[in-house]
Amino acid sequence: MDTQHLQAFVAIAESGSFSAAAERLHLTQPAISKRIALLEEQLKSPLFDRIGRQVALTHAGQVLLSKATLILSEVTAAQRAIADLKGEVEGKLSIATSHHVGLHYLPPYLREFSKQFPQVKLDLHFLDSEQAYHEILQGRFDLAIITLALEQDARLQSHNLWHDQLHFVAAPTHPLTAQSYLQLADLSQHPAIMPDTNTYTTQLVSNLFVTQNAALNIGMVSNHLDTIKMLLSIGLGWGILPKRILDNQLTILDVVHEPIMRPLGCIHHKQRSLNNAAKMFLQLLHKENHSITPTASQ
């Protein structure tokens, strides 16, 4: 089977449409359709049911999908292993990162890496940490640099790189800013603006409220911390944000609690061999180099 035909098949299966797959692979839709037609002719079985503009895998397609994903993964691994035998740092480095880490921590490292290894093509994707975690488990990226999960999957290798200290904050005009020695139960009386409840950050905060038998009253949700910062700054609620992005638009609330530290770091799949580019990037992340510091909040 031609790997290009398998790539087209997997792209359609994952995206749910021929047009989305064509865009993903930078091909025309007729080119994608031709590849699938040739693959179906070779296998003598239809792989997709066409339902309007959407497609669904046939039983044969379902059988092929897991095999095709494995084949493509092995082909990529073989190509990378042969290239790495030369000892050169080149090829593509695919990285998934959260918006917060990507905007406030990674820029100096990406800049230094691209300066040292200009022949490497950086393939950067901004995803929620939880989605990036899932993508790494599926073997779709070399590295993910994200908020680390509270419980790590045994299939992943984790590198703890930084700690985000989180603070309870609100607009200077919010009634909570006028009170001292706040308990978590006091915060329960006012709506919070938080990331989605399935995010690692909100799970961390929720666990803290549970230990004090207090209710976490979430009134609004956004997974982008800079969006939460804006909503808080206009007085729509209280929230919890990393110290790095705080400024005079927000006031740190006087809440009695243990420091809340959110671990940030890098993960990769243990069964996916890292190419030279990924190894060098990891080495750069770990490097004790005072000239490379995370981007400060503006």
Side-chain angles (χ1 to χ4, degrees):
M1 291 181 213
D2 191 307
T3 55
Q4 290 186 335
H5 297 167
L6 292 178
Q7 286 175 341
F9 166 73
V10 171
I12 296 168
E14 291 181 345
S15 64
S17 76
F18 279 65
S19 58
E23 184 177 350
R24 173 170 157 180
L25 296 178
H26 307 290
L27 296 170
T28 63
Q29 190 165 330
I32 284 279
S33 298
K34 183 176 180 180
R35 290 185 181 184
I36 297 303
L38 290 171
L39 187 58
E40 290 179 326
E41 181 180 343
Q42 184 179 11
L43 294 173
K44 297 182 174 19
S45 181
L47 299 172
F48 295 103
D49 287 324
R50 282 74 168 176
I51 307 171
R53 294 186 177 182
Q54 297 299 311
V55 295
L57 287 169
T58 62
H59 181 65
Q62 293 172 4
V63 171
L64 179 61
L65 182 58
S66 61
K67 304 295 184 183
T69 302
L70 180 61
I71 290 169
L72 292 175
S73 176
E74 290 298 322
V75 169
T76 299
Q79 292 171 335
R80 286 153 41 125
I82 292 170
D84 287 347
L85 287 175
K86 304 174 185 177
E88 298 176 355
V89 183
E90 57 184 14
K92 185 175 75 169
L93 173 58
S94 59
I95 300 174
T97 184
S98 68
H99 286 80
H100 177 66
V101 175
L103 293 176
H104 297 282
Y105 283 85
L106 278 190
Y109 296 93
L110 293 171
R111 180 169 54 245
E112 181 66 19
F113 183 83
S114 62
K115 185 187 303 182
Q116 290 186 27
F117 308 106
Q119 62 273 43
V120 175
K121 178 185 177 182
L122 285 171
D123 182 29
L124 193 64
H125 297 258
F126 285 86
L127 305 172
D128 290 344
S129 292
E130 297 72 26
Q131 184 182 356
Y133 191 94
H134 174 74
E135 295 294 322
I136 288 291
L137 282 173
Q138 299 302 312
R140 296 196 178 100
F141 297 106
D142 295 310
L143 305 171
I145 306 170
I146 56 174
T147 301
L148 297 178
L150 302 185
E151 295 183 7
Q152 194 74 318
D153 191 293
R155 292 169 290 177
L156 300 181
Q157 180 66 47
S158 176
H159 305 262
N160 199 320
L161 298 172
W162 310 286
H163 279 91
D164 248 354
Q165 184 172 0
L166 302 177
H167 290 279
F168 291 98
V169 294
T173 55
H174 194 283
L176 286 172
T177 61
Q179 302 179 48
S180 300
Y181 305 108
L182 288 163
Q183 303 295 318
L184 295 185
D186 297 320
L187 300 183
S188 300
Q189 308 306 312
H190 300 268
I193 303 175
M194 300 285 293
D196 193 86
T197 54
N198 65 355
T199 61
Y200 303 140
T201 299
T202 300
Q203 288 173 13
L204 187 66
V205 177
S206 180
N207 289 345
L208 180 64
F209 272 73
V210 168
T211 61
Q212 295 197 19
N213 295 315
L216 179 57
N217 176 16
I218 299 178
M220 199 177 301
V221 167
S222 173
N223 285 356
H224 295 281
L225 298 187
D226 290 290
T227 300
I228 291 178
K229 177 183 174 183
M230 180 276 292
L231 295 171
L232 296 177
S233 71
I234 58 177
L236 298 184
W238 64 267
I240 186 164
L241 291 174
K243 183 178 181 180
R244 180 170 300 280
I245 67 172
L246 300 183
D247 55 28
N248 58 12
Q249 297 181 75
L250 295 170
T251 297
I252 296 177
L253 300 175
D254 185 17
V255 181
V256 180
H257 67 93
E258 293 293 324
I260 306 173
M261 307 301 288
R262 184 176 71 155
L264 309 177
C266 180
I267 60 172
H268 56 88
H269 204 297
K270 291 178 179 178
Q271 293 182 341
R272 175 169 178 158
S273 58
L274 296 179
N275 60 12
N276 287 344
K279 291 176 183 176
M280 290 299 102
F281 195 79
L282 264 178
Q283 183 176 314
L284 181 64
L285 289 172
H286 283 291
K287 188 177 180 181
E288 292 294 337
N289 186 339
H290 297 295
S291 66
I292 300 178
T293 54
T295 305
S297 177
Q298 300 298 321

